[in-house]
Amino acid sequence: MYSDGSIAEVWFKESCRKLGLLDVLPSIQLVKKVLNKYLDSKVKIAMPYMEDENDVSECLDLVFKTNCLLIIENVDGETLRVAVDVTVNLKKAEAKLAEVNSFSFRQWVVI
């Protein structure tokens, strides 16, 4: 059974897919390389909650706080990769925003 949050995630991702905005997911090897180098402590915290540590989507969700990657174009015509997290819970949204805005979280290289 879906929670309200997962229904919103599925709706958002499907809408983006239909619009051609979804980016391809990076390889699990690249994700693990970045995680191990820059976010090792977050990986250790997330590991007990992961059903499949080789699932790129699950790694992005639990460690990077990302439900999907989008490819968009800015007003200057530059292509950008944007990570998106969808939630219907205001407190969770505020906590996730604070986490991704923290200095320690932003020290890794964008993949």
Side-chain angles (χ1 to χ4, degrees), residues 13-103:
K13 196 170 187 175
E14 181 59 18
S15 297
C16 289
R17 185 193 63 74
K18 287 178 182 176
L19 292 169
L21 299 174
L22 282 184
D23 191 6
V24 296
L25 292 175
S27 69
I28 190 64
Q29 293 82 9
L30 178 58
V31 171
K32 284 184 174 185
K33 180 180 175 182
V34 172
L35 292 178
N36 290 330
K37 185 172 183 180
Y38 297 100
L39 293 171
D40 189 51
S41 61
K42 287 187 63 56
V43 172
K44 289 177 183 164
I45 293 168
M47 287 301 285
Y49 301 99
M50 297 178 90
E51 290 181 24
D52 179 0
E53 65 183 59
N54 291 312
D55 181 345
V56 174
S57 295
E58 192 171 11
C59 287
L60 291 173
D61 188 23
L62 291 176
V63 180
F64 288 120
K65 307 301 182 206
T66 299
N67 296 123
C68 60
L69 298 175
L70 305 181
I71 289 290
I72 61 170
E73 192 174 286
N74 69 11
V75 295
D76 296 323
E78 299 169 318
T79 301
L80 305 171
R81 175 183 268 171
V82 178
V84 177
D85 183 70
V86 177
T87 185
V88 296
N89 182 310
L90 181 59
K91 291 219 182 278
K92 283 185 181 179
E94 290 171 346
K96 288 179 181 184
L97 182 59
E99 183 176 355
V100 297
N101 281 329
S102 70
F103 180 78

